[in-house]
Amino acid sequence: MTAAAIPHHFSDSERRIALVAVLIVLFLSALDQTIVATAMPRIVKELAGLDRIAWVGTAYLLTSTVTVPIYGKLGDIFGRRPVLVFGVIVFLTGSMLCGLSGEFGTLALVGDGMNQLIFCRAIQGLGAGALTTGAFATVADIAPPAERGKYTGLFGAMFGLAGLAGPVLGGFLTDHATTTVLGHVVSGWRFVFYVNLPLGLLALYILLTKLPAGRRGADARIDWLGSVLIVASAVPLLLALSWGGQGAGGGWEQPRVLLGFAAALVAFIAFIAVSRGKSWAVVPLDLFADPVVARANLALFLINLGYMGVPMFLPLYLQLVRGLSASQSGFAMLPLLFGVLTGSMIAGRMARKTQQYKPVIVGGGVVALASLAALTLMTPDTPRWVLTLNLLALGIGLGPAQGMFTLAIQSAVSHARTGVATASAQFCRQIGATIGVAIFGALLTWQLSGELKLRVPELASAGQHLELSKAQTLAMDRGALRAALAARGDRDPAVAERAGAALRTSFALSIERLFPVALLILGIAFLVTLAVPARRLRGRADPVPEA
């Protein structure tokens, strides 16, 4: 075994401090992903940006994804602490700017409030890319794979806690935190971003004063060309998906859509070409020669690709179609997140006890498929208790995927490559989520444009589609709907009632049609999961794979 393959020795006290630090960092990252969802309907209503709703999530996921491999490599070279500190500082800066989006009107270089929010979410993502990758890699530094099950369970608990607190806190702040400062009204949803600041400052203090520096000294070469090509392939792909879903703009045959897909393909081929044979590549291709690494990463990509349609758009469905408030929709999402917490904890304990990951991920896949199949049957009249059970079961099924695939990948590589291997798992997880948000956002806008044109033609301008942001406002505000009809000379209450019902039906059908697509993708992911080789997780006495 080479010196680089020998793990850095951590004392028990250092191990506990490192664990506290990474748990806070994970909570900070996970909370931001769950707290925003229930606030999004109110955000896009105030900023008039329903047509760009997917980009609020996509911008964050895109920047956090493309930086993951770089952060993983830098952590292997310089240690985890400086990478985590940098990530927290950038993340907090982005959070503050997100809360200020639209407060100063339209800005010359960025545009309106919705564009400002998208841009600032991208800044948040630049910091977030360091958080999860650094946390998982730190745990890989302090314990062998067979003992990481208990840490994975704690990680699941932290994700679950953030998942439980996020929707409720996001809904509460959105509904009740609106305040007036020096005569200026500050909307409650802005505190969804400001709440990151005190927690982030606490995490920053612990990282700077308590976290050991850890292992460093890996190959110092960084593949900047490969990093640029990852961005060059991801951005045109996501833009093309977004443009293609805007049915009013020409659909998928638009030249810019086709050009975006072509540019993404060319950049991806170039990335593969320049990465071949480079052990220091941003995503070393030789990692994927191991079937565990290759298939586990593919499964992570597909699971997150398919899953994103549920947490991203279900709050919109609950608030707009079923008439729940932001707080109520947050509570309604709790079963899903409690299920993820439970499933992850159970998976961590089983993996630690048996030193096997395959039975856990296969069992979770079966439960997730069954529950998502039941969710595809949902209608506006589905009882709340049925929806609650479906979401709980879906979370339990998806829980094992939160950490088991990463454990399998880490166990398959040498310790010297833990950072890049962990980054590969996080990259595949996040690029799947990023593309998933873009795909489901494109499907929603495409479906919704057609439904609105069919069901509420009286609300559209002559020869034009009803704007999606305006449609959302009219569906959520009956007074605005009556005023819009009155402006067209129709003051009949019966017409307003019919138009409101048609608007809600359009949104219901458009969102419900996303779930069968998610089921198909998760079905493919389950087949890949079955193909992941079953190996025993390494313990302290087991030999480490050669670098």
Side-chain angles (χ1 to χ4, degrees):
M1 186 187 303
T2 64
I6 300 174
H8 171 79
H9 175 71
F10 279 76
S11 67
D12 290 340
S13 61
E14 286 181 323
R15 187 175 289 110
R16 286 192 294 268
I17 293 172
L19 181 61
V20 170
V22 298
L23 285 176
I24 293 177
V25 166
L26 276 178
F27 183 77
L28 183 68
S29 175
L31 182 67
D32 188 72
Q33 297 180 41
T34 59
I35 197 174
V36 175
T38 47
M40 278 309 303
R42 195 74 57 85
I43 293 173
V44 297
K45 179 183 177 182
E46 182 173 324
L47 299 182
L50 180 62
D51 56 322
R52 289 163 284 170
I53 183 175
W55 275 100
V56 177
T58 299
Y60 177 89
L61 289 170
L62 174 61
T63 53
S64 63
T65 298
V66 298
T67 54
V68 158
I70 299 174
Y71 287 133
K73 183 69 173 180
L74 292 175
D76 282 345
I77 298 172
F78 302 110
R80 314 298 175 198
R81 183 170 61 189
V83 173
L84 286 170
V85 167
F86 175 81
V88 171
I89 292 173
V90 175
F91 181 83
L92 294 182
T93 302
S95 297
M96 183 179 65
L97 293 176
C98 283
L100 294 172
S101 298
E103 289 280 36
F104 305 101
T106 300
L107 301 180
L109 296 179
V110 184
D112 62 9
M114 194 65 175
N115 281 348
Q116 294 169 34
L117 178 61
I118 293 170
F119 178 75
C120 295
R121 285 285 280 170
I123 296 176
Q124 258 192 315
L126 288 175
L131 302 186
T132 306
T133 302
F136 274 99
T138 297
V139 169
D141 286 344
I142 66 177
E147 297 181 18
R148 291 175 202 159
K150 59 181 178 182
Y151 298 110
T152 301
L154 290 173
F155 283 4
M158 196 55 63
F159 276 110
L161 178 61
L164 293 172
V168 176
L169 183 59
F172 177 82
L173 292 174
T174 301
D175 286 340
H176 303 293
T178 298
T179 187
T180 302
V181 179
L182 299 178
H184 175 71
V185 177
V186 180
S187 299
W189 64 262
R190 298 184 184 277
F191 291 93
V192 167
F193 299 103
Y194 295 149
V195 77
N196 289 328
L197 301 181
L199 184 63
L201 291 174
L202 173 62
L204 191 61
Y205 169 77
I206 295 177
L207 290 172
L208 286 172
T209 61
K210 305 295 183 181
L211 181 67
R215 176 177 52 82
R216 61 178 66 190
D219 190 332
R221 291 173 291 183
I222 299 176
D223 183 16
W224 296 111
L225 177 58
S227 302
V228 170
L229 289 173
I230 285 180
V231 177
S233 59
V235 172
L237 173 63
L238 297 171
L239 286 172
L241 289 170
S242 177
W243 290 330
Q246 297 171 1
W252 301 99
E253 295 82 13
Q254 300 175 75
R256 61 178 180 174
V257 173
L258 300 177
L259 183 61
F261 285 132
L265 179 61
V266 170
F268 180 73
I269 293 173
F271 167 74
I272 296 297
V274 302
S275 299
R276 284 184 175 276
K278 289 167 60 176
S279 61
W280 69 95
V282 64
V283 180
L285 299 184
D286 63 308
L287 281 177
F288 296 89
D290 189 301
V292 171
V293 176
R295 296 170 194 175
N297 274 317
L298 179 58
L300 276 174
F301 171 81
L302 291 170
I303 289 171
N304 285 274
L305 175 67
Y307 168 63
M308 287 308 297
V310 178
M312 185 70 185
F313 297 108
L314 191 55
L316 179 65
Y317 182 90
L318 294 173
Q319 293 182 41
L320 202 152
V321 177
R322 305 191 70 149
L324 302 185
S325 67
S327 299
Q328 290 171 329
S329 68
F331 278 106
M333 293 295 292
L334 290 183
L336 173 64
L337 302 160
F338 181 75
V340 171
L341 162 63
T342 304
S344 182
M345 292 288 287
I346 292 173
R349 291 186 178 184
M350 292 183 63
R352 183 187 180 192
K353 182 178 180 179
T354 65
Q355 294 188 252
Q356 298 288 334
Y357 55 82
K358 183 69 176 283
V360 179
I361 58 177
V362 171
V366 171
V367 175
L369 283 176
S371 55
L372 189 54
L375 196 61
T376 61
L377 304 177
M378 181 179 65
T379 69
D381 299 321
T382 300
R384 281 282 298 275
W385 67 269
V386 174
L387 177 61
T388 296
L389 290 179
N390 284 344
L391 291 177
L392 177 64
L394 179 60
I396 291 174
L398 291 170
Q402 299 301 314
M404 289 299 103
F405 286 107
T406 302
L407 283 186
I409 291 168
Q410 290 177 343
S411 186
V413 302
S414 66
H415 195 79
R417 308 190 79 181
T418 297
V420 292
T422 305
S424 75
Q426 188 65 15
F427 177 79
C428 290
R429 184 198 312 273
Q430 291 189 191
I431 197 66
T434 305
I435 295 176
V437 168
I439 288 177
F440 285 109
L443 288 174
L444 175 63
T445 55
W446 180 56
Q447 292 275 359
L448 191 55
S449 296
E451 289 292 336
L452 292 173
K453 181 180 179 181
L454 175 66
R455 296 179 184 277
V456 283
E458 65 269 30
L459 289 175
S461 302
Q464 296 181 350
H465 290 264
L466 174 63
E467 292 182 3
L468 300 185
S469 296
K470 183 179 180 181
Q472 182 201 6
T473 299
L474 298 180
M476 297 180 72
D477 188 341
R478 294 187 178 183
L481 176 59
R482 288 192 294 268
L485 290 171
R488 297 174 180 273
D490 196 336
R491 293 178 171 81
D492 187 348
V495 173
E497 187 65 26
R498 188 206 66 80
L503 281 168
R504 291 188 292 273
T505 299
S506 298
F507 276 92
L509 292 174
S510 299
I511 296 174
E512 288 166 6
R513 289 169 184 163
L514 301 179
F515 299 133
V517 178
L519 178 62
L520 174 63
I521 296 172
L522 283 184
I524 299 172
F526 181 69
L527 296 178
V528 176
T529 299
L530 292 176
V532 175
R535 294 181 186 170
R536 179 175 170 273
L537 293 170
R538 295 198 319 271
R540 291 183 181 273
D542 296 318
V544 178
E546 290 298 325

